[in-house]
Amino acid sequence: MFSASDKPEGGLAGRSAGRPARRAVIAGALALPIAGFLSACAPEQSSLSQQANEGNNKNYIAGDGSVEVYDADQRTDPVDLTAETYDGESVSTTDWRGNVGILNFWYAACAPCRVEAPHLRELHDEFKADGVTWLGINGRDEKATAEAFERTFEVPYSSVPDSNGRVLLQLTKYVPAQAYPTTLVLDKQGRVAARILGLADKSTLKALIETALAEKA
């Protein structure tokens, strides 16, 4: 059973540009030169909605690297996912309560996913002692392809297959269809605290994780 709550009132894109203290933490990181890489993955000046409507046989819709941060009083119910990994292990985000969680949507042929994989591994190792829990959600690959990717990039956490789109369907309020990669940061209550749409810059994701860790459970 996959379930997730509605997005905060006003929608993701409608969030106020305020919250200067929180956004200032990641402002410097966002200035890093990732935009050029991402723009190479999509037509020039093409928005996510334009790419989706065009349906021009792209393997994925590249995100723009944008970050959405949700203040605690604007977060909704916890994300409740239960699934089976490629290894046949049952995982549930309800078991993560009290810890920060990371959900990363990816697949093997997604070029930005391959770029960010080493950074995700490094952050996983850096925050392992803090109890940060990671789960990959693979929207395209068969078991052999996913496992080859994980071996190549030494991915230290498990992924669940989602070629049928069940997870994505329940999280489309946070993860646009076909927007790979996308990374969600869950707070200690399991609520979506932040979202990175597109390639996850290491410094940006680190700041988001540190912010979530600093919050009370």
Side-chain angles (χ1 to χ4, degrees):
M1 175 68 181
F2 299 90
S3 63
S5 58
D6 289 343
K7 63 182 176 181
E9 184 177 355
L12 296 175
R15 286 296 311 281
S16 168
R19 321 284 191 249
R22 182 77 62 85
R23 292 188 184 278
V25 175
I26 59 176
L30 289 176
L32 293 175
I34 63 172
F37 175 82
L38 288 172
S39 63
C41 298
E44 184 176 359
Q45 299 181 342
S46 179
S47 69
L48 287 173
S49 59
Q50 287 173 328
Q51 293 179 58
N53 290 334
E54 288 169 1
N56 55 1
N57 298 318
K58 293 183 298 297
N59 287 329
Y60 60 90
I61 298 175
D64 59 5
S66 64
V67 176
E68 291 286 346
V69 178
Y70 308 98
D71 290 332
D73 61 354
Q74 296 184 339
R75 299 170 196 167
T76 51
D77 293 339
V79 172
D80 184 7
L81 301 179
T82 301
E84 188 173 286
T85 69
Y86 283 105
D87 295 329
E89 178 185 358
S90 178
V91 294
S92 175
T93 56
T94 60
D95 297 332
W96 300 4
R97 301 297 188 264
N99 294 320
V100 172
I102 306 294
L103 299 176
N104 177 253
F105 290 76
W106 68 282
Y107 70 95
C110 162
C113 300
R114 301 176 73 86
V115 171
E116 72 177 10
H119 302 151
L120 300 184
R121 181 186 68 241
E122 292 164 4
L123 289 173
H124 169 276
D125 295 345
E126 180 175 352
F127 289 104
K128 184 176 182 179
D130 295 301
V132 177
T133 307
W134 298 66
L135 181 67
I137 300 171
N138 186 298
R140 299 289 182 88
D141 300 325
E142 298 296 330
K143 185 174 188 290
T145 302
E147 290 180 339
F149 180 99
E150 292 172 339
R151 287 193 301 270
T152 298
F153 293 98
E154 300 178 336
V155 178
Y157 50 87
S158 299
S159 286
V160 298
D162 191 44
S163 58
N164 58 14
R166 287 187 296 170
V167 177
L168 183 62
L169 181 63
Q170 297 300 322
L171 289 171
T172 51
K173 297 174 181 63
Y174 296 102
V175 186
Q178 306 302 316
Y180 293 95
T182 294
T183 303
L184 302 180
V185 178
L186 308 184
D187 66 15
K188 295 174 184 177
Q189 298 179 46
R191 303 173 301 175
V192 176
R195 179 197 74 171
I196 300 178
L197 179 62
L199 190 152
D201 172 69
K202 182 180 178 181
S203 297
T204 300
L205 182 53
K206 179 177 180 178
L208 295 173
I209 293 172
E210 290 175 337
T211 299
L213 283 171
E215 296 178 352
K216 293 182 180 180

